[in-house]
Amino acid sequence: MKFAVVAPSTNTSVQPEYDDMRPHGVTNHFSRISIPDTKVTDDDSFMVMLQSIRDATFDAVDVSMSMEPGCLIMGMSAETFWDGAEGAERLHKRMLERTGGIPVIMGSTALDAAIKSYGGIRKIGIVTPYMPVGDANVRKFFEDQGFEVVNLVGLQSPSPMMIAHETKQTLKRAAIEVSEGVDAVIQCGTNLAFAEVAAIAEFWLEKPVIAINTATYWHALRSMGISDKVYGYGRLLAEF
C-alpha cells in the first residue's frame, strides 16, 4: 500500500510520526506544499499563512499522483476544518476531483471517525496551535458534528514552522488544561508533535486523548482495509 501525503513545507512533524506508525508493507510518500515560514501574530497573518497553503495544495497533490498511490492523506489541518462540516465536505469533494477518485483522508473527518470509534464521547477539550480565527473554525466543525466543545486552548504558535518547536511540556500542560470536565481530549494542527504526548496523557488522564496525526493515519489504514495494530500511540491504533 502506497500512501501519498501532502503537507506544508514548514511541517516537520507529520513525516516522522507517520513513519513511526507505518505497518510493514505500507509506505509513505511525501509531497511538500511549498509555503514561506511567515510570522503569525494575529488572525490576519494567520489567514495569510492559510492562503499560502491553499494556493499551493493542488500542485503538491498533482505531483503525488504520479506514483499511483492507494490513497492521499492530507497532512495539514486548518483547511480541513474551515467553515465547519459543510466546508469539510466541499473540500473533500474538490480533493477527490483532483485525485481522480483516489480516496482522500482529511484530518477533520478522521478525528470525527476516531472519536466515534471510542463510543460515548460528547464533551471534548481541544488543543490547537492556532490563532482565534482558526480555533473558531475548529470549534464550528466539532459542534456541527454534535460534540460539545467545553475547553479549547490555542497555543498561537508564532509561525507555521515554529509549531513543531512547541515543547512536550507545553503540550502536556495544554492537554491537562483542557481535560477538566470532558470525555476526551482532541488535538488539531499536524505540525504539533503530539502523538507520543497523547499516548502518555491518555494513560494518566484515564480518558481518550486523540492526536490528529494518529487519527489521520489510523483512518487511512482502516479505510484501505489494513487492520494491523500499532502500539505506542494510544488506544486508537492499538485497539480499533
Side-chain angles (χ1 to χ4, degrees):
M1 173 59 61
K2 294 180 289 186
F3 285 157
V5 183
V6 293
S9 53
T10 51
N11 190 309
T12 55
S13 295
V14 171
Q15 186 166 356
E17 291 193 342
Y18 281 9
D19 284 348
D20 284 349
M21 299 172 194
R22 182 180 64 85
H24 181 74
V26 177
T27 52
N28 306 319
H29 305 277
F30 277 73
S31 183
R32 296 291 180 178
I33 302 168
S34 180
I35 67 167
D37 186 39
T38 53
K39 290 184 178 180
V40 178
T41 57
D42 54 21
D43 284 348
D44 289 342
S45 52
F46 184 90
M47 292 307 300
V48 169
M49 176 197 69
L50 187 62
Q51 190 60 49
S52 295
I53 295 173
R54 288 170 173 168
D55 291 343
T57 295
F58 280 153
D59 288 343
V61 171
D62 292 346
V63 170
S64 70
M65 289 299 102
S66 63
M67 59 91 181
E68 298 185 0
C71 81
L72 173 77
I73 306 174
M74 298 183 71
M76 28 87 83
S77 175
E79 180 70 349
T80 73
F81 293 97
W82 219 257
D83 292 331
E86 289 186 3
E89 185 176 354
R90 287 195 304 270
L91 177 62
H92 191 243
K93 287 180 179 178
R94 288 172 55 215
M95 295 300 297
L96 283 173
E97 290 172 0
R98 199 72 176 199
T99 65
I102 289 172
V104 176
I105 305 298
M106 304 196 318
S108 56
T109 48
L111 277 169
D112 180 55
I115 294 168
K116 289 172 179 173
S117 74
Y118 280 82
I121 294 173
R122 189 176 70 84
K123 297 181 178 181
I124 60 175
I126 303 174
V127 177
T128 86
Y130 302 145
M131 291 291 163
V133 66
D135 291 339
N137 280 275
V138 168
R139 180 185 292 274
K140 175 173 171 51
F141 174 84
F142 285 111
E143 288 177 347
D144 286 350
Q145 299 299 90
F147 300 106
E148 179 183 348
V149 180
V150 176
N151 305 313
L152 191 153
V153 169
L155 298 174
Q156 301 189 14
S157 299
S159 83
M161 184 272 292
M162 289 301 294
I163 292 172
H165 291 248
E166 300 288 359
T167 68
K168 283 184 167 58
Q169 288 295 326
T170 295
L171 301 180
K172 167 196 167 185
R173 294 183 189 115
I176 292 171
E177 185 175 346
V178 302
S179 68
E180 293 299 320
V182 303
D183 304 316
V185 172
I186 310 301
Q187 173 260 325
C188 305
T190 60
N191 205 21
L192 283 179
F194 197 79
E196 290 183 354
V197 174
I200 297 167
E202 190 169 63
F203 177 75
W204 288 109
L205 294 174
E206 298 187 29
K207 63 182 65 177
V209 180
I210 307 173
I212 190 168
N213 288 344
T214 306
T216 309
Y217 204 73
W218 165 84
H219 200 219
L221 290 171
R222 302 302 182 253
S223 295
M224 300 309 294
I226 300 169
S227 58
D228 297 54
K229 307 299 185 184
V230 181
Y231 299 96
Y233 290 93
R235 290 180 58 200
L236 185 65
L237 275 169
E239 296 182 19
F240 299 107

